[in-house]
């Protein structure tokens, strides 16, 4: 099996980033991308306390621990996950950060205004077309924590930047899926349970690659790559999710629950350049998916089962990696149970939902006058300076002013200003 390669470049070597890395979906570490920005002052724990100590964070159980509550063999029947607790970065550092056995973490937290004020969004992450959307989230955990092997179902490109601490990142391409014995978008192989020699041998055999990112570094992770992350010490990071085209959006979790078959079929669509259209073979894939998607179904479960079968058949006919796992038993039953639990928590697979090429490529409308008035009033009432407003808009959406936002972005900005992350801005760090 061909082994994945993770390149390394410096912050001065990002010219042509889309052509060199994004469109060919090549992972790369950018050393020191934030070394010359105010964010670098938070690279140590003392600096992070000084600049970000009062920053609000939501502290909760480690990510995969929450999945245990969905499993038949998980915690006691009827037991519910502990409620997340809102605290500050300083409180987390004091209460959990230095405990090697703590599974309390901050995960996918909307990046607070104070952290948004300390860096500048890289130019290659800015929206290239009206269809592109941007999301930023932060993560925080103590040493010996991890993010279990998974791939992201939203199918966006990801730039993961390290604020303080160091993180080991292991990546696998979709072709490594049989080695990871997937259920849904998770692998059942537990790299965290292996010693270093065992893990290195497994990663090499499965065609993966490993690197380490340090404060002010970032790593570009292409869409639909499997990834696993180790916290080598107390660390914080944030990701910038960018550049998804309309075709990847259609094939994403906005319409489908992903598994290894959808993953492999959808991955090439991430290489469609901004404003370009799918090639003939890709159009045939979308046409087949649309035909099944628009069929009349008796229930959401029927539609779910049919769409899963469509992607599995596309996977087989395209000659992608073998379906058979390397293990002696399949995880189909566990995958189905997990997906049906998730199905009850969203609006996917509605029998009456319809899609077309026109809806796939439709552009979100601009923010409404009412939204813009609401933003203006809310920003003023919270004491946002014009400088901080510009910084937050640029780093959250890649926009320079409120009137450049789409209706969906304006809605997210209003929600941000009502949330702990946006409702208590601190002085802008120039």
């Amino acid at each position: 099996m061909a082994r994945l390669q993770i390149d390394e470049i410096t912050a001065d070597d990002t010219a042509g980033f889309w052509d060199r890395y994004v469109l060919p979906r090549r992972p790369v570490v950018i050393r020191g991308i934030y070394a010359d920005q105010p964010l670098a002052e938070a690279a140590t724990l003392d600096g992070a306390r000084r600049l970000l100590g009062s920053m609000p964070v939501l502290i909760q159980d480690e990510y995969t621990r929450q999945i245990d509550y969905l499993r038949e063999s998980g915690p006691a029947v009827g037991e519910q996950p502990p409620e997340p607790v809102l605290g500050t970065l300083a409180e987390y550092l004091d209460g959990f950060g230095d405990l090697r056995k703590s599974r309390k973490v901050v995960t996918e937290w909307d990046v607070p205004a104070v952290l948004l004020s300390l860096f500048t969004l890289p130019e290659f992450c800015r929206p290239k077309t009206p269809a592109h959307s941007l999301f930023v989230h932060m993560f925080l955990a103590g040493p010996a924590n991890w993010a279990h092997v998974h791939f992201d179902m939203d199918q966006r490109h990801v730039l993961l930047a390290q604020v303080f601490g160091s993180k080991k990142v292991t990546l696998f391409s979709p072709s490594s899926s049989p080695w990871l014995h997937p259920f849904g978008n998770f692998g059942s192989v537990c790299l965290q349970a292996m010693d270093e020699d065992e893990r290195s041998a497994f990663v090499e055999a499965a065609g993966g690659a490993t690197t380490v990112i340090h404060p002010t570094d970032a790593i570009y992770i292409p869409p639909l790559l499997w990834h696993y992350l180790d916290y080598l010490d107390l660390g914080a990071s944030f990701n910038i999710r960018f550049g998804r085209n309309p075709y990847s959006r259609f094939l994403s979790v906005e319409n489908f629950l992903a598994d290894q078959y959808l993953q492999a079929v959808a991955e090439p669509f991430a290489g469609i350049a901004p404003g370009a259209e799918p090639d003939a073979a890709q159009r045939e894939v979308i046409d087949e998916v649309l035909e099944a998607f628009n069929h009349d179904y008796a229930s959401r479960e029927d539609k779910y089962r049919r769409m899963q079968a469509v992607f599995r058949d596309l996977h087989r006919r395209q000659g992608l990696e073998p379906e058979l796992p390397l293990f002696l038993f399949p995880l189909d039953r566990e995958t189905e149970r997990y997906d049906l639990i998730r199905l009850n928590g969203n609006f996917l697979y509605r029998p009456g939902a319809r899609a077309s090429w026109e809806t796939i490529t439709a552009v979100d409308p601009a923010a409404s006058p009412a939204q813009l008035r609401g933003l203006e009033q809310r920003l003023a009432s919270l004491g946002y300076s014009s400088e901080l407003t510009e910084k937050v808009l640029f780093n959250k959406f890649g926009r320079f002013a409120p009137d450049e936002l789409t209706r969906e972005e304006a809605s997210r900005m209003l929600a941000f200003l009502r949330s702990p992350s946006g409702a208590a801005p601190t002085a802008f760090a120039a």
Side-chain angles (χ1 to χ4, degrees):
M1 174 181 291
R3 188 169 185 183
L4 191 68
Q5 178 177 332
I6 302 175
D7 293 340
E8 285 194 18
I9 61 175
T10 66
D12 297 327
D13 189 24
T14 58
F17 195 85
W18 270 71
D19 290 332
R20 294 163 59 197
Y21 298 105
V22 176
L23 295 179
R25 285 99 66 210
R26 292 173 53 200
V28 60
V29 173
I30 310 173
R31 298 294 181 194
I33 188 171
Y34 291 118
D36 296 329
Q37 299 190 24
L39 183 65
E41 296 181 31
T44 65
L45 291 182
D46 287 343
R49 282 182 182 276
R50 184 175 64 255
L51 291 178
L52 304 171
S54 61
M55 180 176 69
V57 293
L58 193 68
I59 303 167
Q60 61 188 51
D61 265 18
E62 187 270 329
Y63 191 69
T64 51
R65 169 62 179 163
Q66 297 187 39
I67 296 176
D68 288 343
Y69 290 88
L70 303 178
R71 297 174 60 86
E72 292 175 325
S73 58
V77 175
E79 185 180 351
Q80 297 297 313
E83 288 293 323
V85 175
L86 184 65
T88 66
L89 176 71
E91 288 170 342
Y92 180 88
L93 298 181
D94 292 337
F96 305 103
D98 59 349
L99 301 177
R100 293 191 65 83
K101 294 184 179 180
S102 172
R103 292 289 170 258
K104 294 295 183 181
V105 302
V106 177
T107 184
E108 293 188 347
W109 179 239
D110 203 358
V111 175
V114 60
L115 181 52
L116 290 169
S117 74
L118 296 175
F119 68 92
T120 298
L121 182 77
E123 183 61 29
F124 59 80
C125 292
R126 288 198 66 209
K128 302 295 182 184
T129 73
H132 286 189
S133 56
L134 199 67
F135 284 80
V136 287
H137 298 111
M138 73 162 291
F139 304 81
L140 173 65
N145 270 287
W146 64 83
H148 193 73
V149 178
H150 69 286
F151 64 84
D152 299 329
M153 295 194 295
D154 68 346
Q155 300 193 28
R156 287 181 172 86
H157 302 264
V158 173
L159 185 73
L160 177 66
Q162 198 68 12
V163 180
F164 59 83
S166 296
K167 185 176 290 183
K168 182 182 291 186
V169 181
T170 301
L171 305 178
F172 302 92
S173 71
S175 63
S176 296
S177 292
W179 287 84
L180 303 175
H181 202 36
F183 67 100
N185 66 314
F186 285 91
S188 64
V189 173
C190 295
L191 297 183
Q192 64 270 21
M194 300 179 184
D195 62 34
E196 283 301 315
D197 290 341
E198 183 181 17
R199 184 189 298 185
S200 295
F202 177 84
V203 171
E204 182 174 2
T210 297
T211 189
V212 176
I213 55 174
H214 304 288
T216 75
D217 292 342
I219 181 171
Y220 163 64
I221 304 176
L224 294 170
L225 258 64
W226 294 100
H227 46 284
Y228 168 85
L229 304 107
D230 272 313
Y231 285 80
L232 300 181
D233 44 30
L234 176 56
S237 60
F238 63 91
N239 66 17
I240 300 168
R241 314 185 70 84
F242 70 99
R244 184 179 66 175
N245 63 52
Y247 314 103
S248 292
R249 177 178 62 185
F250 171 65
L251 295 170
S252 78
V253 71
E254 294 188 18
N255 291 297
F256 308 105
L257 294 174
D259 58 17
Q260 60 182 312
Y261 309 107
L262 184 152
Q263 174 197 28
V265 169
E267 192 274 336
F269 285 85
I272 298 175
E277 296 184 355
D279 61 27
Q282 291 170 328
R283 290 188 68 89
E284 289 181 4
V285 169
I286 296 291
D287 283 336
E288 184 169 341
V289 173
L290 282 172
E291 182 179 3
F293 187 88
N294 292 333
H295 187 76
D296 291 325
Y297 296 93
S299 67
R300 294 173 68 210
E301 186 172 334
D302 286 347
K303 188 170 185 177
Y304 154 76
R305 294 183 188 280
R306 173 59 182 150
M307 297 312 306
Q308 298 298 88
V310 166
F311 287 111
R312 183 171 293 210
D313 190 48
L314 283 166
H315 184 277
R316 176 186 58 79
R317 285 188 280 118
Q318 291 181 7
L320 299 171
E321 289 301 309
E323 294 190 33
L324 293 177
L326 299 178
F327 292 72
L328 298 178
F329 58 91
L331 282 172
D332 290 350
R333 180 174 177 271
E334 186 71 24
T335 294
E336 183 173 292
R337 182 176 181 275
Y338 175 55
D339 280 352
L340 291 178
I341 290 173
R342 292 192 295 171
L343 194 62
N344 291 329
N346 58 49
F347 296 100
L348 298 179
Y349 300 102
R350 288 174 295 144
R354 296 290 186 267
S356 65
W357 282 96
E358 289 73 23
T359 60
I360 289 173
T361 56
V363 176
D364 290 333
S368 69
Q371 287 178 313
L372 294 177
R373 287 195 299 271
L375 283 173
E376 182 180 4
Q377 293 167 359
R378 185 67 177 165
L379 288 164
S381 68
L382 292 173
Y384 271 74
S385 66
S386 59
E387 193 174 14
L388 180 55
T389 298
E390 291 173 3
K391 199 74 173 177
V392 169
L393 288 174
F394 188 77
N395 285 336
K396 278 186 71 66
F397 306 106
R399 314 295 188 189
F400 290 103
D403 59 7
E404 295 182 5
L405 298 175
T406 67
R407 190 165 299 178
E408 185 272 339
E409 289 170 341
S411 178
R412 281 201 282 133
M413 183 63 181
L414 285 165
F416 172 75
L417 295 175
R418 291 190 295 269
S419 75
S421 289
T426 58
F428 172 65

